[in-house]
Amino acid sequence: LAVDNADESINLQSNEIRWKSVTGNRPWLAGTLLERLCALIDVDTLTQLLEACDQGAEGEGAQNGAQNS
């Protein structure tokens, strides 16, 4: 994720967040802020998912190189 400009920083109270209770198709989604219509992201989980994708892509490149030899 990248941000060019952040207009404001807010402090959240736990009762303002509808916390996700079941891990499903979006494990990176921690909850939803209904009043602001936005998602609260679990940064640690998102980082792990992105790193796993990178490692998978590196492995595929090595496999394709071996097949082309």
Side-chain angles (χ1 to χ4, degrees):
L1 298 175
V3 176
D4 289 330
N5 184 17
D7 291 334
E8 65 180 308
S9 173
I10 60 170
N11 292 318
L12 300 172
Q13 301 299 318
S14 185
N15 63 347
E16 296 177 285
I17 303 165
R18 181 169 48 160
W19 295 101
K20 188 174 171 188
S21 59
V22 178
T23 302
N25 293 336
R26 298 179 187 102
W28 48 265
L29 180 64
T32 307
L33 289 92
L34 295 177
E35 288 186 23
R36 295 184 175 265
L37 297 175
C38 62
L40 184 63
I41 296 172
D42 180 339
V43 176
D44 290 334
T45 300
L46 182 60
T47 301
Q48 291 172 2
L49 291 168
L50 292 172
E51 287 174 348
C53 287
D54 281 346
Q55 291 173 356
E58 289 172 2
E60 287 177 14
Q63 289 174 358
N64 290 338
Q67 291 173 355
N68 293 334
S69 298

